[in-house]
Amino acid sequence: MNTPIRTNTLTRTLFGSPTDHIGVQFLRYLCVGCLGFAADYGSLYLLTEFAGMYYLLSAALAFLLGLTVHYILSVKWVFSRRSLNNRYAEMGIYMGLGGAGLVLNELVIWSLTEFAHLHYMVSKLFYLVIFLLLFGLRKALLFR
């Protein structure tokens, strides 16, 4: 008889408002990361294959779209407390870390596509390792 209550509590914990619990934050960060990555990966494909953009240009634009999706969802749903009171400074640092991620993204895609002769969409998948590092940096610098 306690199952509906436990399920309801679990649902609220996982899908409710922002929390301080690092395990829940990490699970939410993974969900947000998947949505941001879907925006990034999907637009990379669309911009390259259908808009005819050079893959490194479309990779940069797609990354910025994914980063924007990720930022909005992170501050609205993942992290409960912020380290900075100034939202512009916070977004600047967030985007700065994202910029470092963008440079790494471009290097990974370029090197694996040009030298390992992988398809650019396969090369993009190797960026996921950097995603985990960014969680730790964002958590430490921006969200308590």
Side-chain angles (χ1 to χ4, degrees):
M1 289 197 190
N2 284 339
T3 304
I5 293 171
R6 285 186 191 153
T7 303
N8 193 21
T9 302
L10 179 61
T11 302
R12 272 189 309 219
T13 300
L14 291 177
F15 300 107
S17 35
T19 180
D20 288 333
H21 190 279
I22 192 157
V24 174
Q25 284 179 339
F26 186 73
L27 285 173
R28 288 180 181 183
Y29 189 83
L30 284 175
C31 292
V32 165
C34 288
L35 292 172
F37 186 76
D40 181 347
Y41 200 72
S43 58
L44 169 61
Y45 180 78
L46 292 173
L47 290 171
T48 305
E49 298 299 324
F50 293 103
M53 284 186 183
Y54 181 60
Y55 77 95
L56 288 177
L57 175 60
S58 61
L61 294 174
F63 182 88
L64 292 174
L65 175 65
L67 182 65
T68 302
V69 168
H70 197 274
Y71 174 76
I72 291 168
L73 292 175
S74 288
V75 297
K76 296 287 184 193
W77 187 52
V78 177
F79 299 109
S80 63
R81 290 187 283 156
R82 296 165 140 167
S83 298
L84 302 173
N85 290 328
N86 184 326
R87 300 294 174 245
Y88 295 109
E90 176 187 86
M91 188 169 186
I93 292 170
Y94 196 94
M95 294 298 182
L97 289 171
L102 174 59
V103 170
L104 292 171
N105 178 63
E106 293 290 300
L107 285 172
V108 166
I109 291 175
W110 173 74
S111 61
L112 291 174
T113 301
E114 297 298 323
F115 299 114
H117 305 290
L118 296 176
H119 190 272
Y120 71 93
M121 295 298 286
V122 175
S123 299
K124 174 66 179 178
L125 295 174
F126 285 86
Y127 176 76
L128 293 174
V129 174
I130 298 164
F131 165 81
L132 296 174
L133 297 173
L134 288 175
F135 170 76
L137 286 172
R138 287 179 175 135
K139 173 77 175 151
L141 295 175
L142 297 174
F143 307 106
R144 295 181 199 161

